[in-house]
Amino acid sequence: MSKKVADVLWEMLAKAGVQRCYGIVGDALNPVVDALRRNGAIEFVPVRHEEYGVFAAVAEAYFTGNPVAVCGTAGPGVVHLFNGLMDARKEAAPIIAIAGDVESSIIDTSALEELNPYKFFEAASLYTARLVNPEQARAVINTAILTAVLEKGPTVLSIPGDVASADAPDQPTDFTIAAPAILRPSDTDFEKLVRMIDEAKTVAIFGGDGCREGRDEVIELACKLKAPVGYSFRGKQWLEHENPNAVGMTGLMGYGGAYNAIHEADLLLMLGTDFPFSEFLPGANVKKVQIDKNPKHIGRRTPLDLGLVGDIKSTVSALLPAVCEKTDGEFLARQIAHTESFHKLLQHYVEKGPAIKPIRPEFLAATLSELASDDAMFFADTGTACIWLARHIYGGKNRRLFGSFSWASMANAAPNAFGCALAYPGRQCIALCGDGGFTMLGMGDLLTQIERRTSVVQVILNNEKFDFVHIEQQEAGIIPFGVEFKNPNFAKIAEAMGAKGIRIEEPENVREGLAEALAHKDGPVVVDAVVDPLALAMPSHSPFHTVKGFTLSFAKQVMSGRLDTVIKEIERNVGIV
């Protein structure tokens, strides 16, 4: 029996290292999924919602480095893949999407469930192909795989059912995935960089996810230059732990001395970061150098004195013996002292948490960080969950932190944790979920976790509102509107579905409840934590427009008859500024 095109697809994907495919079956996809069944080497993970499957795949692909497949049938199923593919593109995760397509004989006739994959996936996919002839199969599948793996992002293969079930040409399916190339600046630019570092009295480093492979080299350089090290949210898990020069984050979730460090230094080295909040970066008074392997990142957030293309590990490795060691540690000591001072401020509601009701989210997150294992994997929904992850969940050599940090989609944490629970069985996978995000996507596919008995711990910040949007509206100087909703008892829902449910309403039960959740190994857990809906988190540096917005919003709320709400919000946030 000759191979079908769909057989060739899965054979090549298996050779590329794909271990799982997440998705939902459907008419146009049936021949593809039937071939997946015959193949047997790749696990199919059926989910309740395609978007849930893609978010799971993104986390797995990001951390393992291996490509992961996702699938959806023609039209509506394909559309549900889009948001997760955008996340994959932003987080640089190698995802290969198999999109069902209408029969090749009716393409471009506005058939039921037909869409143009080239137009639809243009923003989300690094490479999109429509398989309309079996002769294309090897070439386009090869291109989709190599693009996803080597360029680190999503690709899409749109396959009509009749083509998937057609006989494949007798062609070899072997291919080669090249190892990542060593990329560093030219000698001329490199020598200029060395001169700028040697001439600067004080140097600060601001690093991002690009420091992932070069973490040790960056910290060694920082120690040699007596340079404080700040980091973006994506850089936190690589540059925070076991780093004597760490000074925290900047931005609206910022903490520590990072803002002061990068604004007071003579020279700022931006390493592997595409930090998007330009208002928190220094102006012309600080010389700035940016090094990134992606040329499109260079200089697009702030004007530079020098922009260099290179991967951080090889570039910094070459830089270490070339620069002179600095001896004056006063600048670094000042930023470390500022960081330690702000850290004490962050502990205000952690230390007082056992006696404060409603439960302070700072206390909840800090307790969770303390109780979790040294190799736990944490995932945060977009919103205030990210604030508590940034400030109160501490990383470590083997701990991992992840979220939709660059795309900022809602509802990513539960599926992210699910994907990594499959990829890393036995490891603690903890999702810090917003109540809005969990009800949007996490609740339905809790059934998927239950069926597979995956030990995912979902901690829901139950404050009955879109809390981060509430804060954004206050920053904009307007009265919060459209952000509140009523929640059920999530623990009871979890129990009714077959998961373990734990509801925490009293602060004295936080430690016991979280410990019970982390100790549970027989399937998923939902922790319904009723937290203070009025908790705020101010950054270590607040731009004038932010302070002005809060002041104006409070004034408008008072004038509109909400004085009691304003007073409560102020009372419950004493000590954060």
Side-chain angles (χ1 to χ4, degrees):
M1 181 178 176
S2 62
K3 290 181 182 178
K4 305 299 182 183
V5 169
D7 294 317
V8 172
L9 168 69
W10 296 115
E11 184 177 322
M12 294 181 71
L13 289 175
K15 288 180 178 179
V18 173
Q19 296 184 22
R20 265 170 290 278
C21 175
Y22 299 81
I24 296 178
V25 301
D27 48 3
L29 205 62
N30 285 337
V32 174
V33 174
D34 188 50
L36 173 61
R37 176 191 59 79
R38 292 196 300 271
N39 178 273
I42 296 174
E43 179 185 11
F44 181 54
V45 184
V47 292
R48 264 68 177 183
H49 197 297
E50 293 92 343
E51 186 175 321
Y52 188 97
V54 188
F55 280 132
V58 168
E60 176 182 342
Y62 175 84
F63 282 118
T64 65
N66 296 324
V68 182
V70 298
C71 67
T73 193
V78 166
V79 169
H80 285 160
L81 297 174
F82 185 86
N83 199 38
L85 294 181
M86 281 298 299
D87 201 56
R89 181 157 191 171
K90 296 290 186 176
E91 299 300 332
I95 300 294
I96 301 163
I98 313 302
D101 205 341
V102 298
E103 297 291 304
S104 59
S105 61
I106 57 173
I107 285 176
D108 292 336
T109 67
S110 295
L112 179 69
E113 297 187 335
E114 181 185 6
L115 58 73
N116 185 323
Y118 302 110
K119 290 183 178 180
F120 182 76
F121 288 110
E122 183 177 7
S125 176
L126 299 176
Y127 169 77
T128 301
R130 198 173 204 176
L131 252 174
V132 295
N133 190 312
E135 296 293 335
Q136 295 173 277
R138 192 206 63 80
V140 299
I141 297 169
N142 178 80
T143 305
I145 291 171
L146 294 184
T147 302
V149 173
L150 298 179
E151 295 187 24
K152 298 296 183 185
T155 58
V156 177
L157 292 171
S158 186
I159 310 178
D162 59 312
V163 177
S165 58
D167 290 340
D170 187 15
Q171 297 175 345
T173 58
D174 292 331
F175 58 94
T176 301
I177 298 177
I182 295 175
L183 183 65
R184 51 154 289 189
S186 68
D187 290 343
T188 301
D189 285 342
F190 188 80
E191 290 168 4
K192 184 176 181 180
L193 172 62
V194 172
R195 286 197 303 271
M196 291 178 70
I197 292 174
D198 287 344
E199 291 171 1
K201 181 180 179 181
T202 57
V203 179
I205 292 173
F206 186 62
D209 190 60
C211 297
R212 178 177 180 175
E213 302 299 331
R215 173 197 182 277
D216 293 342
E217 290 78 5
V218 171
I219 293 176
E220 185 178 350
L221 177 66
C223 291
K224 187 170 186 178
L225 300 180
K226 307 295 186 292
V229 180
Y231 31 85
S232 68
F233 201 0
R234 296 184 72 202
K236 169 183 164 75
Q237 66 178 317
W238 313 121
L239 296 175
E240 178 185 53
H241 69 276
E242 300 174 20
N243 179 358
N245 293 26
V247 292
M249 293 168 54
T250 188
L252 289 175
M253 293 185 291
Y255 60 91
Y259 182 89
N260 287 350
I262 67 177
H263 280 77
E264 296 174 7
D266 293 330
L267 176 66
L268 172 62
L269 302 180
M270 299 171 64
L271 306 180
T273 179
D274 190 35
F275 183 73
F277 304 106
S278 301
E279 65 268 33
F280 288 94
L281 296 174
N285 58 311
V286 176
K287 289 185 177 180
K288 287 163 286 185
V289 174
Q290 185 177 6
I291 306 173
D292 202 292
K293 66 181 180 181
N294 188 337
K296 295 178 182 178
H297 292 175
I298 305 296
R300 71 177 178 181
R301 306 302 184 190
T302 184
L304 303 172
D305 295 275
L306 181 63
L308 304 174
V309 178
D311 71 78
I312 301 306
K313 183 178 178 66
S314 59
T315 302
V316 175
S317 293
L319 197 58
L320 278 167
V323 296
C324 297
E325 184 170 4
K326 298 192 183 297
T327 57
D328 186 354
E330 189 276 334
F331 175 67
L332 172 62
R334 183 155 34 95
Q335 308 309 326
I336 293 294
H338 186 97
T339 302
E340 291 174 348
S341 175
F342 196 84
H343 178 74
K344 292 178 182 178
L345 190 65
L346 287 180
Q347 298 308 300
H348 178 84
Y349 283 110
V350 174
E351 295 172 354
K352 295 182 181 296
I356 299 176
K357 182 180 178 180
I359 297 167
R360 291 295 302 200
E362 302 95 326
F363 169 56
L364 179 77
T367 305
L368 180 63
S369 181
E370 179 188 342
L371 294 175
S373 63
D374 290 340
D375 66 346
M377 305 182 82
F378 294 90
F379 306 88
D381 269 345
T382 297
T384 51
C386 282
I387 298 177
W388 315 129
L389 178 77
R391 294 183 167 199
H392 296 286
I393 301 294
Y394 293 101
K397 182 178 180 180
N398 297 312
R399 277 191 173 183
R400 295 294 175 259
L401 315 173
F402 192 71
S404 185
F405 296 153
S406 299
W407 180 231
S409 174
M410 282 184 64
N412 61 281
N416 285 163
F418 173 62
C420 283
L422 296 181
Y424 300 96
R427 197 165 174 178
Q428 283 183 352
C429 292
I430 305 166
L432 202 57
C433 301
D435 45 5
F438 187 75
T439 52
M440 175 186 285
L441 196 60
M443 191 181 298
D445 265 289
L446 179 61
L447 291 168
T448 304
Q449 295 185 21
I450 292 165
E451 286 179 355
R452 305 183 70 89
R453 308 191 78 80
T454 47
S455 298
V456 176
V457 177
Q458 285 133 131
V459 180
I460 302 174
L461 299 167
N462 186 348
N463 53 22
E464 297 197 325
K465 67 178 178 180
F466 295 121
D467 197 13
F468 200 81
V469 180
H470 179 100
I471 294 172
E472 289 173 331
Q473 290 178 346
Q474 290 178 305
E475 288 174 2
I478 62 178
I479 297 172
F481 178 75
V483 295
E484 297 180 352
F485 46 79
K486 288 295 181 182
N487 283 330
N489 183 317
F490 291 112
K492 287 185 177 179
I493 288 178
E495 293 283 357
M497 295 171 75
K500 184 175 182 60
I502 300 172
R503 186 171 171 91
I504 306 176
E505 298 178 343
E506 302 295 332
E508 61 264 28
N509 296 331
V510 166
R511 177 172 291 272
E512 179 184 356
L514 293 178
E516 182 183 358
L518 293 171
H520 184 72
K521 303 301 181 184
D522 189 24
V525 183
V526 172
V527 178
D528 185 2
V530 182
V531 297
D532 190 346
L534 297 179
L536 285 176
M538 296 299 289
S540 55
H541 174 83
S542 299
F544 174 72
H545 69 83
T546 299
V547 177
K548 178 182 176 183
F550 267 102
T551 302
L552 182 58
S553 177
F554 281 179
K556 288 180 178 178
Q557 289 179 69
V558 170
M559 295 299 290
S560 65
R562 300 188 184 185
L563 178 61
D564 57 335
T565 301
V566 172
I567 292 174
K568 287 179 181 178
E569 190 156 2
I570 293 172
E571 285 179 342
R572 292 191 192 170
N573 292 284
V574 174
I576 66 167
V577 292

